[in-house]
Amino acid sequence: MKIKISEIKINPGRRDTQQRNVEELARSIAAVGLMNPITVTQDNTLIAGLHRLEAAKLLGWTEIECTVSDADGLQAELAEIDENFVRAGLSHRELGDLLLRRKELYEAIHPETRQGQRNGQTAKNDNLTVLAAKPFSEDTADKLGMPLL
């Protein structure tokens, strides 16, 4: 579906765009079109695609193709962070900041995965069941495409 660019909200604290990358992307989009739509929440808050959005603005577009996600709140922020992991050029500091925030969000969504917690219990016992969610380290390794050491 298409959405008016003027209706897209961008959360504060997002990583800044790189103008050189925006310009390169704009040239590509002008040549072959927008290959991957941006992703927004139900209330038009951007989850993924800030560089694509800025490239569309640079091209003078007033609308952009988008995917509307059911994610909201913490889930939407987690999806935004995961999208940023696949981008090249993250500094060690940026990667560290993203990992720290991802851990906070993941444990807020899945409190049973916090270190020292076992299915909501703080002590070991013989009646533990398998966690419904993966531990943070395993989930993050999967998202980054890295082996769990």
Side-chain angles (χ1 to χ4, degrees):
M1 81 182 272
K2 286 198 174 191
I3 186 173
K4 289 183 180 180
I5 289 175
S6 61
E7 294 178 359
I8 298 171
K9 301 173 215 147
I10 299 172
N11 283 329
R14 281 193 69 116
R15 198 167 164 254
D16 292 334
T17 57
Q18 303 297 315
Q19 188 60 31
R20 186 183 82 241
N21 294 348
V22 170
E23 291 167 0
E24 288 175 14
L25 191 52
R27 284 192 292 278
S28 173
I29 291 171
V32 299
L34 182 66
M35 303 294 284
N36 296 303
I38 65 169
T39 304
V40 297
T41 62
Q42 298 284 335
D43 71 349
N44 297 338
T45 300
L46 186 69
I47 294 175
L50 183 58
H51 279 82
R52 287 169 275 165
L53 178 63
E54 293 302 319
K57 288 178 184 178
L58 191 62
L59 291 169
W61 292 8
T62 58
E63 294 183 325
I64 190 167
E65 192 70 31
C66 72
T67 300
V68 180
S69 172
D70 290 333
D72 63 356
L74 298 179
Q75 288 285 359
E77 189 177 350
L78 187 62
E80 180 182 328
I81 287 172
D82 288 348
E83 169 78 6
N84 278 311
F85 279 141
V86 300
R87 294 213 35 245
L90 288 176
S91 71
H92 294 292
R93 171 74 187 242
E94 290 170 320
L95 182 59
D97 289 345
L98 284 176
L99 284 169
L100 181 60
R101 182 63 181 148
R102 186 179 199 287
K103 184 171 176 62
E104 292 169 354
L105 294 168
Y106 191 80
E107 289 180 347
I109 295 166
H110 305 288
E112 73 278 10
T113 64
R114 288 187 186 121
Q115 186 166 351
Q117 297 291 310
R118 288 181 172 78
N119 291 334
Q121 299 179 24
T122 57
K124 293 182 181 179
N125 67 44
D126 293 331
N127 298 322
L128 293 178
T129 57
V130 176
L131 291 174
K134 296 180 200 176
F136 168 77
S137 57
E138 187 178 323
D139 187 72
T140 302
D142 286 348
K143 295 293 189 283
L144 293 174
M146 301 174 74
L148 188 59
L149 301 176

